[in-house]
Amino acid sequence: MKVRDHISKAVEAHKTEFSFEILPPLKGQNIDTIFKNIDPLMEFNPPFIDVTYHREEYIYKEREDGLLEKKVVRKRPGTVGICAAIQNKYDVDAVPHVLCGGFSKEDTENFLIDMDFLGIENVMALRGDAVKSETYFKPNKNGNVYAQDLVEQIIDLNHGKYLDEDLLNSSQTDFCIGVAGYPEKHLEAPSMESDIHFLKKKLEAGACYVVTQMFFDNQKYFDFVEKCRAAGITKPIIPGLKPLATKKQLNMIPQRFSVDVPDALVMEVVNCKTPDAVRQVGIEWCIQQSKELKAAGVPVLHYYSMGKSDNIRQIAEAVF
Ligand code: FAD
């Protein structure tokens, strides 16, 4: 089933659904690592589960002769295969993330064809970030530059428009597309207005819904939704939530994601004496956020599990 239909069903039933995002396991680990994280969350009946995509990194290793050798490393491969495994094991729709970065348009087409063969109907279309060896995001040669271009390519395929002209009039796909939105503005966007302008373009190109970047102050989400509606965006905007889990994240999250952590949360975390206490503060904060968003009538709450489900389970027990 399409994510857009899951959302419509929740809206009609005046219900808030629970969904979450997982990371593929590190290379060398078993698929059971994934299932062990999903199992404890299935009793909350998620209509869909997202699986992130991690592009390759470039590292330079010194060879015996002293010269540097460039190596390509992908630490978390397997997004589409994991989605197929999830759909086979559980009665749930899996949503693979696909990026502009690291993909040529041909790679993208092949990724989508694999998804279609495997019965995966939903996809999250993202640009991706700069890799560690880049200062700014650099698209692939013959790759999509912005998420909007990627949405356009997926919609073209939905209309049977393949890159290979010999395949014109071949079978059509029917993907439902999600895109990212930023309640505190994307870090590269010059202004919130321009960011919302381009978000609208992604939706006009054919995306069906938005999932937001994490935020720790619900007012940021409410203001963002209001601005989007004023700009003429009518499609669903699903809040993305992440429970803070370590003291280190107080510095890492604002730096990496350009997201504010409210003073009250910072002080609670700073005063914690143990890692467990920090984790519990993050859980309680996220429960309060979730309850307020649920009371405001959001159709889905989407949680970033970052590969660990124990804290997400505690939140789901308190909220759903
Ligand atoms: P875009 O929508 O392309 O926007 C990028 C920037 O360009 C923005 O500043 C925007 O305002 C601007 N812009 C957009 N279109 C245009 C245009 N036509 N002309 C000029 N400027 C434009 N990253 C991963 O690597 N893997 C994942 O699985 C992943 N999952 C994510 C899931 C969610 C819900 C979110 C919120 C983010 C995720 N990310 C993931 C991170 C994401 O890839 C980065 O935030 C990335 O920097 C931007 O992606 P985007 O799709 O929002 O880009």
Side-chain angles (χ1 to χ4, degrees):
M1 188 165 151
K2 309 272 190 270
V3 170
R4 62 166 179 261
D5 297 328
H6 287 299
I7 297 173
S8 301
K9 243 176 96 179
V11 171
E12 277 163 29
H14 302 288
K15 227 184 135 195
T16 300
E17 298 282 8
F18 162 79
S19 87
F20 60 95
E21 171 189 294
I22 57 162
L23 277 58
L26 284 167
K27 201 146 88 179
Q29 288 183 355
N30 190 284
I31 186 82
D32 285 337
T33 332
I34 286 283
F35 295 151
K36 270 189 204 135
N37 275 313
I38 295 178
D39 283 345
L41 300 178
M42 288 314 289
E43 94 181 59
F44 306 102
N45 299 316
F48 60 92
I49 299 172
D50 278 48
V51 182
T52 53
Y53 189 93
H54 300 257
R55 60 181 284 205
E56 71 287 346
E57 289 282 349
Y58 301 100
I59 56 163
Y60 290 89
K61 272 196 146 179
E62 195 174 336
R63 296 192 323 209
E64 274 182 14
D65 60 8
L67 291 175
L68 287 180
E69 184 182 17
K70 186 175 172 181
K71 278 192 80 174
V72 182
V73 187
R74 264 197 80 198
K75 288 187 181 157
R76 295 182 184 272
T79 299
V80 171
I82 291 164
C83 284
I86 290 172
Q87 292 201 160
N88 280 339
K89 184 170 160 78
Y90 307 99
D91 184 19
V92 66
D93 288 296
V95 186
H97 292 191
V98 62
L99 307 179
C100 301
F103 283 75
S104 68
K105 288 185 185 168
E106 284 75 17
D107 295 336
T108 305
E109 185 162 292
N110 290 331
F111 186 95
L112 295 166
I113 289 171
D114 281 352
M115 282 176 53
D116 191 43
F117 286 158
L118 292 164
I120 299 165
E121 300 177 61
N122 300 286
V123 62
M124 187 80 186
L126 300 145
R127 189 198 70 177
D129 284 317
V131 288
K132 279 184 198 133
S133 49
E134 292 168 355
T135 315
Y136 297 105
F137 170 80
K138 235 170 85 190
N140 252 43
K141 211 171 151 209
N142 185 29
N144 290 302
V145 179
Y146 293 108
Q148 180 192 336
D149 308 319
L150 179 53
V151 172
E152 283 166 7
Q153 186 182 357
I154 301 169
I155 293 292
D156 275 351
L157 208 64
N158 279 355
H159 294 148
K161 217 170 133 194
Y162 288 76
L163 293 173
D164 182 345
E165 285 182 7
D166 291 344
L167 293 175
L168 278 180
N169 303 320
S170 298
S171 70
Q172 297 180 2
T173 55
D174 185 18
F175 294 116
C176 166
I177 309 166
V179 288
Y182 300 84
E184 297 178 58
K185 183 181 93 53
H186 182 255
L187 72 171
E188 294 164 30
S191 69
M192 182 59 107
E193 284 63 34
S194 80
D195 209 21
I196 290 178
H197 168 82
F198 289 120
L199 174 61
K200 192 173 174 208
K201 295 264 178 223
K202 293 193 273 195
L203 294 161
E204 285 169 351
C208 301
Y209 68 100
V210 180
V211 179
T212 75
Q213 181 59 279
M214 69 182 84
F215 53 90
F216 296 93
D217 173 358
N218 285 350
Q219 197 53 49
K220 301 251 163 97
Y221 168 81
F222 294 132
D223 291 347
F224 175 65
V225 173
E226 203 179 303
K227 282 185 186 147
C228 288
R229 299 299 178 228
I233 291 174
T234 54
K235 291 182 178 167
I237 302 174
I238 305 300
L241 294 174
K242 181 193 147 26
L244 205 107
T246 62
K247 266 192 187 171
K248 220 169 126 189
Q249 288 176 352
L250 284 183
N251 304 106
M252 186 277 279
I253 287 175
Q255 192 196 17
R256 187 179 302 170
F257 301 104
S258 200
V259 164
D260 274 350
V261 183
D263 283 343
L265 177 55
V266 174
M267 290 325 293
E268 277 194 56
V269 171
V270 166
N271 288 329
C272 286
K273 302 267 182 287
T274 63
D276 279 354
V278 174
R279 216 167 162 78
Q280 205 51 42
V281 164
I283 289 169
E284 293 302 331
W285 189 276
C286 194
I287 289 173
Q288 293 316 318
Q289 278 195 278
S290 306
K291 285 185 172 168
E292 191 185 16
L293 290 161
K294 196 176 168 196
V298 300
V300 182
L301 284 168
H302 189 70
Y303 295 90
Y304 298 116
S305 81
M306 314 292 271
K308 295 229 170 92
S309 59
D310 60 319
N311 51 358
I312 306 295
R313 185 179 160 87
Q314 272 195 56
I315 295 160
E317 276 171 346
V319 178
F320 295 93

